[in-house]
């Protein structure tokens, strides 16, 4: 769904026969560096396919585009006993933004490794390259931390609605990281703090100011929990958690959450976030947090990234402009656009509606450059579609909420704004329905598209 290809007339036979050997797909190194690490050239003509790129991601993305140029039958895993063809094209393509992301909340409801890998497969189809995993919250702690067994013995045993929860062992984490890398996806771990921490508070007594563990929580209220910012044990905990996860996560970023804290003063919040930022830097990662950090006067560390999620007001917008002037860069996740845990419309069985309905057009028809006025394009790293799982329990629920909205977010991240418009996009998107059928994706047949 990207690129500047012009389809030619002739179709090229891609299955060789003994008279007509399979035309090779030639992978060429791009010596004059025109594409960047994720860009590529794709030429199909005269029975020859040539892919030109500078680095692994470029080759990978050229193949994803080639998949889209072939009929859905290409997804058949067996040997096809008949020829497939692809139109002759000449494509030169590269992404607009470096950060083309999806966030998966595995704390509200737990999703095992197989579900997360499936989600990554579907992300890779559309050249998304960042998977932000929301690993902790009030309802569940999801990753084994050496030396802190209570987090998984107790904190992982719950989820929204009271199900049995779950967590990733370190081996499963390493496997997810490797799987992501094989699809040019970088995992961005998030441990939400100081709020959204009841699972940890229910597990470890000394994280609470009264020294007593809280009760497990399986509802969907927000804002009521906070680590005890006055106790040194809290910072030892944060250091343990950040250290263990950072050393098993090759990506550059560590997301510390920072959202929806109602029980601390601004001074207490700032002091905590400053110390959390120091700990993240100590373990070699760049600081990332939700946009509430822009309203504080915390010292934003170099390379800090702020994830914009709340519908902007003049006030919050000015805070973001200030933060950018202090060196921060932005990831855009406007809740009233690309929170794909919002209902599509009143008919949606799944999803929340606190940010309004996000139908397939809402999620596509906006320009990142104009979301926050006063912020230069250079300060925008890219876009990311969060999927919170208060109402999603299975991979089929995730697919229903994410498709068809997620491919639109991918195109916003990849394609120049002036080359995008809803009228032509919706037609191109509809043509992907048969591909999603072959792939078994449980997508919502949006009446705006199908
Ligand atoms: N806001 C909360 C999430 C989740 C979400 C559901 C953020 C940053 C509403 N925080 O989004 O914990 O409850 O849409």
């Amino acid at each position: 769904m990207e690129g500047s290809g012009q389809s030619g007339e002739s179709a090229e036979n891609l299955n060789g026969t003994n008279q007509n050997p399979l035309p090779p797909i030639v992978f060429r190194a791009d010596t004059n560096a025109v594409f960047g690490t994720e860009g590529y050239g794709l030429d199909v003509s005269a029975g020859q396919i040539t892919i030109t790129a500078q680095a692994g991601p470029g080759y990978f993305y050229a193949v994803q585009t080639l998949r889209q140029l072939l009929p859905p039958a290409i997804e058949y895993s067996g040997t096809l006993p008949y020829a497939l063809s692809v139109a002759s094209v000449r494509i030169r393509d590269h992404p607009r933004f470096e950060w083309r992301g999806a966030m998966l909340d595995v704390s509200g409801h737990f999703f095992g490794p197989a579900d997360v890998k499936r989600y990554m497969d579907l992300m890779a189809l559309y050249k998304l390259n960042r998977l932000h995993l929301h690993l902790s919250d009030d309802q569940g702690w999801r990753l084994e931390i050496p030396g802190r067994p209570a987090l998984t013995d107790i904190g992982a045993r719950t989820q929204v609605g009271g199900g049995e929860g779950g967590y990733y062992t370190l081996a499963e984490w390493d496997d997810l990281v490797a799987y992501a890398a094989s699809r040019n996806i970088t995992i961005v771990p998030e441990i939400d703090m100081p709020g959204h921490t009841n699972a940890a508070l229910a597990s470890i007594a000394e994280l609470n100011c009264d020294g007593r563990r809280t009760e497990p929580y399986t509802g969907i209220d927000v804002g009521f929990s906070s680590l005890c910012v006055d106790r040194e044990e809290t910072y030892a905990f944060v250091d343990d958690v950040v250290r263990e996860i950072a050393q098993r996560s090759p990506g550059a970023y560590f997301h510390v959450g920072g959202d929806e804290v109602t029980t601390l003063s601004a001074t207490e919040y700032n002091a905590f976030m400053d110390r959390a930022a120091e700990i993240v830097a100590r373990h070699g990662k760049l600081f990332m947090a939700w946009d509430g950090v822009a309203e504080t006067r915390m010292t934003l560390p170099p390379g800090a990234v702020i994830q914009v999620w709340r519908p902007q007001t003049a006030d919050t917008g000015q805070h973001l402009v200030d933060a950018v002037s202090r060196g921060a860069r932005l990831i855009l996740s406007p809740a009233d656009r690309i929170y794909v845990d919002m209902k599509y419309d009143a008919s949606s069985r799944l999803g929340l509606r606190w940010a309004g309905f996000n139908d397939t057009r809402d999620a596509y028809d906006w320009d990142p450059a104009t979301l926050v006025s006063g912020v230069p394009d250079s300060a925008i790293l890219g876009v990311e579609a969060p999927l919170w799982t208060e109402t999603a329990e299975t991979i089929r629920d995730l697919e229903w909420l994410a498709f068809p909205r997620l491919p639109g977010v991918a195109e916003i991240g990849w394609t120049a704004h002036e080359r995008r418009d809803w009228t032509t996009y919706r037609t191109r998107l509809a043509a992907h329905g048969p591909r999603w059928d072959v792939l078994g994706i449980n997508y919502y047949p949006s009446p705006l598209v199908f």
Side-chain angles (χ1 to χ4, degrees):
M1 288 161 54
E2 295 82 11
S4 51
Q6 57 282 346
S7 57
E9 295 312 311
S10 67
E12 308 304 330
N13 176 328
L14 287 182
N15 280 9
T17 58
N18 45 23
Q19 292 83 5
N20 169 18
L22 189 67
I25 298 182
V26 174
F27 289 84
R28 265 189 6 205
D30 156 38
T31 48
N32 52 3
V34 296
F35 302 116
T37 55
E38 294 187 291
Y40 62 89
L42 174 59
D43 295 279
V44 180
S45 63
Q48 171 87 57
I49 294 178
T50 305
I51 289 174
T52 308
Q54 195 179 21
Y59 292 112
F60 181 81
Y61 292 143
V63 171
Q64 303 319 307
T65 296
L66 185 55
R67 277 173 81 177
Q68 292 185 17
L69 293 173
L70 283 156
I74 190 64
E75 303 302 337
Y76 174 66
S77 56
T79 302
L80 278 174
Y82 54 82
L84 290 180
S85 63
V86 59
S88 294
V89 291
R90 182 183 187 282
I91 293 175
R92 298 292 178 268
D93 198 11
H94 62 87
R96 176 184 181 187
F97 292 114
E98 68 178 85
W99 191 295
R100 304 181 308 280
M103 186 213 84
L104 185 56
D105 161 23
V106 295
S107 178
H109 281 91
F110 178 64
F111 290 86
D115 290 345
V116 178
K117 290 179 178 179
R118 165 71 168 179
Y119 204 69
M120 288 197 260
D121 286 347
L122 303 184
M123 288 171 61
L125 268 181
Y126 293 100
K127 307 187 179 75
L128 292 168
N129 64 2
R130 300 279 188 278
L131 174 61
H132 167 181
L133 283 176
H134 184 78
L135 293 166
S136 64
D137 210 303
D138 294 320
Q139 300 89 352
W141 184 278
R142 301 299 181 218
L143 181 57
E144 177 189 6
I145 301 293
R148 300 277 183 175
L151 290 169
T152 39
D153 293 344
I154 300 170
R157 291 283 167 255
T158 46
Q159 63 182 14
V160 169
E164 68 173 19
Y167 67 92
Y168 308 114
T169 64
L170 294 179
E172 287 171 329
W173 177 261
D174 293 345
D175 180 49
L176 285 174
V177 167
Y179 193 87
S182 71
R183 284 153 177 74
N184 288 296
I185 293 172
T186 300
I187 288 184
V188 180
E190 178 191 355
I191 296 296
D192 204 341
M193 54 180 117
H196 285 276
T197 41
N198 191 71
L201 297 167
S203 306
I204 301 174
E206 62 265 24
L207 298 180
N208 298 274
C209 289
D210 64 3
R212 295 173 39 219
R213 293 186 314 193
T214 59
E215 288 302 312
Y217 179 73
T218 60
I220 61 170
D221 293 339
V222 298
F224 59 88
S225 60
S226 173
L227 298 171
C228 183
V229 298
D230 303 331
R231 300 185 79 149
E232 280 310 305
E233 293 93 333
T234 293
Y235 302 97
F237 164 77
V238 172
D239 190 67
D240 286 350
V241 169
V242 172
R243 181 187 64 250
E244 292 299 332
I245 297 174
Q247 66 191 15
R248 308 181 90 98
S249 304
Y253 292 95
F254 194 102
H255 199 306
V256 298
D259 62 312
E260 297 182 315
V261 181
T262 61
T263 56
L264 298 180
S265 68
T267 307
E268 289 173 319
Y269 178 84
N270 286 356
F272 176 85
M273 291 310 275
D274 278 343
R275 290 191 67 175
E278 286 164 7
I279 292 168
V280 167
R282 184 185 317 149
H283 295 297
K285 299 300 178 186
L286 292 175
F287 175 92
M288 189 168 167
W290 298 103
D291 61 22
V293 293
E295 291 174 31
T296 71
R297 297 308 301 169
M298 70 166 285
T299 317
L300 288 169
V305 171
I306 295 175
Q307 185 163 9
V308 180
W309 64 284
R310 293 172 299 174
Q312 289 308 299
T313 63
D315 192 34
T316 56
Q318 189 51 51
H319 287 305
L320 290 171
V321 170
D322 292 347
V324 166
S325 68
R326 290 187 280 143
R329 289 180 296 172
L330 306 182
I331 303 289
L332 303 181
S333 298
D336 57 352
R337 288 288 184 175
I338 57 175
Y339 263 38
V340 295
D341 63 310
M342 291 299 116
K343 293 177 182 295
Y344 289 89
D345 55 41
S347 73
S348 298
R349 176 178 63 85
L350 297 174
L352 300 173
R353 58 182 299 177
W354 65 268
F357 294 141
N358 289 342
D359 68 24
T360 309
R361 179 170 186 171
D362 296 328
Y364 178 79
D365 209 2
W366 61 285
D367 182 8
T370 59
L371 186 78
V372 182
S373 55
V375 161
D377 245 17
S378 59
I380 300 172
L381 272 180
V383 292
E384 180 179 296
L387 205 180
W388 298 95
T389 59
E390 282 91 340
T391 66
E393 299 185 44
T394 66
I395 181 65
R396 312 290 281 155
D397 292 347
L398 299 183
E399 291 173 1
W400 192 86
L401 286 166
F403 283 77
R405 292 179 286 195
L406 194 62
V409 178
E411 180 157 302
I412 293 170
W414 187 281
T415 302
H417 186 65
E418 58 273 12
R419 293 178 50 80
R420 295 197 301 111
D421 76 276
W422 168 253
T423 309
T424 54
Y425 170 71
R426 59 180 290 196
T427 306
R428 291 188 284 118
L429 184 63
H432 281 239
R435 319 191 77 81
W436 300 344
D437 292 331
V438 170
L439 289 164
I441 299 174
N442 178 43
Y443 62 95
Y444 169 56
S446 170
L448 297 175
V449 180
F450 299 101

